Amino acid sequence: MLTTLNTAYTDTSATDLAWTLGREPLPALATLNLELAGAKLQLRLLGASHQVLLEEDHGSCSETVACIPGSSTPLPLGVAKRVGDWEYEFAARVENLTPGQFAGRAQELLALVADHPNGLAGVFPGSPHAFTAMLAQRHEGQVQWRTWHAYPQDGQLVATRSRVGVRMPAAAL
């Protein structure tokens, strides 16, 4: 699903993004509710980037990647931790692109996500290449999602991937 977000572009740069787990739902400009083999997932586009809410029999998980005033947790390159009965993994990278590369990559990603049943993308007013996009799936018992946060003024594209799966007891290994 592709939508135009009715808000000002508030993320100033990739370095302003912060990552947190366990945050309560923040006001969203667009949402997509998904059911992935028993897992309820809500993809949320915020004025300041994204939030994912996951609920399953094993518990719940909330991931937020956004420009959050007062946050002191920068966007990490990688995180692996336990969240209740789950193993949670997060990875992020920043791509530095020329204007031509950026425009091509933006068009490619928006086309991919807009036509995907588990995808949500929002374009900010003022630039067709200022966007946040999200894509989710369930694979081998894990819920996974990828996100892209575009900063055309800097030629930067922040890509993240997250994975949540049930922790296997040591006796089962």
Side-chain angles (χ1 to χ4, degrees), residues 26-52:
L26 296 171
L29 300 172
T31 61
L32 179 63
N33 293 310
L34 300 171
E35 179 96 20
L36 301 175
K40 292 181 181 177
L41 194 66
Q42 185 177 67
L43 305 180
R44 303 167 59 83
L45 296 178
L46 313 175
S49 287
H50 89 258
Q51 188 172 50
V52 175

Side-chain angles (χ1 to χ4, degrees), residues 91-164:
R93 75 177 191 286
V94 178
E95 298 177 41
N96 292 295
L97 305 167
T98 67
Q101 291 171 324
F102 194 94
R105 188 88 166 107
Q107 289 175 340
E108 173 187 285
L109 288 170
L110 288 172
L112 169 74
V113 175
D115 294 334
H116 197 287
N118 297 343
L120 175 63
V123 177
F124 291 89
S127 171
H129 302 136
F131 68 91
T132 300
M134 308 172 73
L135 190 60
Q137 68 175 0
R138 183 153 189 135
H139 181 68
E140 295 180 1
Q142 297 182 330
V143 178
Q144 304 172 13
W145 58 91
R146 296 187 64 191
T147 72
W148 298 271
H149 304 264
Y151 300 94
Q153 72 280 9
D154 298 326
Q156 292 185 317
L157 183 68
V158 177
T160 75
R161 66 172 173 76
S162 302
R163 182 172 50 195
V164 178

